[in-house]
Structures are given as structure tokens and as C-alpha cells.
Amino acid sequence: MLSCSGVGESSGIAGGLGLALEKLRHVSGVGRRSAAMPPAAAVSSEQRGRAKSTSYAIFYGAGPGKLVEELAVELDDAKTMIEDWHAAFPTVKGWTERVAAGCAVDGFVTTIGGRKRYLHGIRSRNDAEKRKARRQASNTVCQGSAADLIKQAMLHIDARLAPPDAPHVLHRAAPGRLLLQIHDELLFEVAEEAAPALRDLVREAMTEHVEALRVPLQVRIKQGPTWGSLDAVATLVSPPSQAEVPA
């Protein structure tokens, strides 16, 4: 089995919203304002997951009360988390405001792949509906664009594994087959001797044949006899685009 997952895809969509672990020391619970920032290698999987959950919550507008409920922290700590997060990423709020404003004018938002989502609630006179539509606007651009990226990679991989003239997708010349997509993770079945060739194909598809971004995409590859017993074999990073992309 071969598992290939993108790391932080959606956070990189919004022109520089990549979540640096060094800046997330507070929300991940590994430090406080007065503490020295730990190196990325010192952040545990649990802390990383906590930081990711907290960042998504704050990004999509969760207030102190919501963080208290989800993270079981004191109210003052929740307020500090939000303040620290916005201090670490000062341009995020402006970006979400621009996305919402554009949606209010156009009536829709567009993903990096060009797909549109119409949000009629953005023009509602009902404040609750309007706030919901604003959250959906930012969510769609980030999560929808992440979906665009993984689909681009899947299409490239499929074309290489099963050429158009192949009799069926499981033709014998293929080095492996794609079994599942789980969010930003792709799970393959492959013979052990063919795994290196498939890893090269996946590396190319997930780091080179995707939309160019100003922030690099990181891809983690794991391999093992079963889905539940995979070991990391490589971590790959795509080169960031040098082109000027509107933030």
C-alpha cells in the first residue's frame, strides 16, 4: 500500500496563508507569549493537530466561547489564542474581507481551478444568513481550491496509470492502482517492486502538475503492507511560483 497526502494544501491557497509551525506555538499548546518558539521538529502530532483545528476554527470566525467549548480552555486563554493568531497572520482578516466583498458584488466565489459557488445569502438582510455566507465564501475558496489541486493530481496520475487506449483501468502495464481518495490523501495498491516507480509518478503529479502557488505544497509519502501499517518514506516539497499572484 502507498499513501500520499498533501500537507497544508488548503492553507496555502489564499496567497500566503501557509501556517508556519513556529508561529503556532501558542495555539498548539507548546508555548506562551513569553516562551521561546520551538523548532518544527519539536512539535508533536497531537500538538500539530490541535494547532490545525484551532487555526481552522479561528480562520472561519470562531469566537472565544467556541474555543472554550472545543478546546476545554479558560476564556482568557481562548481570547489570547485568537489575539496571538491574528498577530501572527495579520493579513488573513483582510483577505477574508476582500473575498466576502467580492462575493457580495458578484454573488459567487471562484476556486483556483475556476469553479464557481453562488452564495445568495451574502446579500441577505438576515444577519445570521449573511454571516454564514461570509464564512462559506472563505471556506469555498480554500477547501474548494484544495479539492481542485488534488483532482488535478489524480487526473494526471490516472492518465499515466491507464492510457486512453488501455482496455480497462486495471491493465497489466500499470505499476499500481488508485484505491481511495480521503480528503488530501491518495491510497494506492501496488506491488512492492513497482513502488519506487509509482512514488516517482505521484511525486511528479502532486508537486509539478498542479496549479502554481506562491507557497510550496508539501507531500508526504508512506508505504507498507496494509493501510494501518504505513511508514513514512519521503516528504516532498513543490517549488513556489515566482509569479506575482494577487493576495
Side-chain angles (χ1 to χ4, degrees):
M1 306 294 289
L2 191 71
S3 170
C4 309
S5 58
V7 181
E9 286 184 332
S10 59
S11 61
I13 300 305
L17 297 188
L19 302 182
L21 288 174
E22 291 81 0
K23 289 187 177 182
L24 287 174
R25 71 191 190 285
H26 185 78
V27 295
S28 65
V30 296
R32 287 295 183 265
R33 288 177 173 176
S34 60
M37 291 186 291
V43 180
S44 69
S45 296
E46 181 180 352
Q47 292 166 334
R48 190 186 304 270
R50 181 184 176 91
K52 182 177 179 179
S53 298
T54 304
S55 294
Y56 272 119
I58 297 173
F59 177 72
Y60 293 127
K66 187 66 173 179
L67 292 187
V68 168
E69 178 183 334
E70 291 190 355
L71 302 177
V73 296
E74 296 296 328
L75 182 61
D76 287 345
D77 288 338
K79 291 178 180 178
T80 301
M81 287 181 182
I82 294 173
E83 292 172 3
D84 285 358
W85 195 92
H86 283 294
F89 310 106
T91 62
V92 172
K93 189 171 183 179
W95 179 83
T96 58
E97 292 294 333
R98 290 194 297 275
V99 169
C103 184
V105 172
D106 299 328
F108 62 84
V109 290
T110 307
T111 68
I112 198 171
R115 293 184 295 129
K116 295 179 181 179
R117 181 183 183 183
Y118 287 85
L119 295 167
H120 302 296
I122 198 73
R123 297 170 178 168
S124 174
R125 294 182 179 180
N126 182 296
D127 286 343
E129 289 185 6
K130 181 176 289 188
R131 287 195 299 269
K132 179 181 178 181
R134 289 171 65 90
R135 292 194 299 270
Q136 289 174 325
S138 297
N139 180 287
T140 297
V141 176
C142 289
Q143 299 291 354
S145 296
D148 289 345
L149 295 177
I150 195 69
K151 294 301 184 186
Q152 287 178 18
M154 291 171 66
L155 287 171
H156 179 77
I157 293 169
D158 182 68
R160 295 285 297 278
L161 291 180
D165 57 350
H168 52 76
V169 295
L170 299 181
H171 64 96
R172 294 184 179 181
R177 60 171 178 155
L178 176 61
L179 292 181
L180 293 172
Q181 177 209 353
I182 312 95
H183 300 296
D184 63 350
E185 179 180 0
L186 301 179
L187 186 68
F188 297 87
E189 185 177 58
V190 58
E192 186 172 2
E193 62 272 14
L198 182 58
R199 290 200 302 266
D200 288 342
L201 170 58
V202 171
R203 175 200 59 75
E204 179 185 345
M206 297 185 76
T207 62
E208 298 178 15
H209 288 270
V210 293
E211 199 80 23
L213 302 175
R214 289 192 301 182
V215 290
L217 293 178
Q218 188 179 100
V219 178
R220 185 177 297 122
I221 298 180
K222 298 181 180 180
Q223 183 176 324
T226 66
W227 191 6
S229 56
L230 300 175
D231 295 317
V233 293
T235 298
L236 312 167
V237 180
S238 69
S241 169
Q242 299 303 313
E244 285 298 321
V245 180

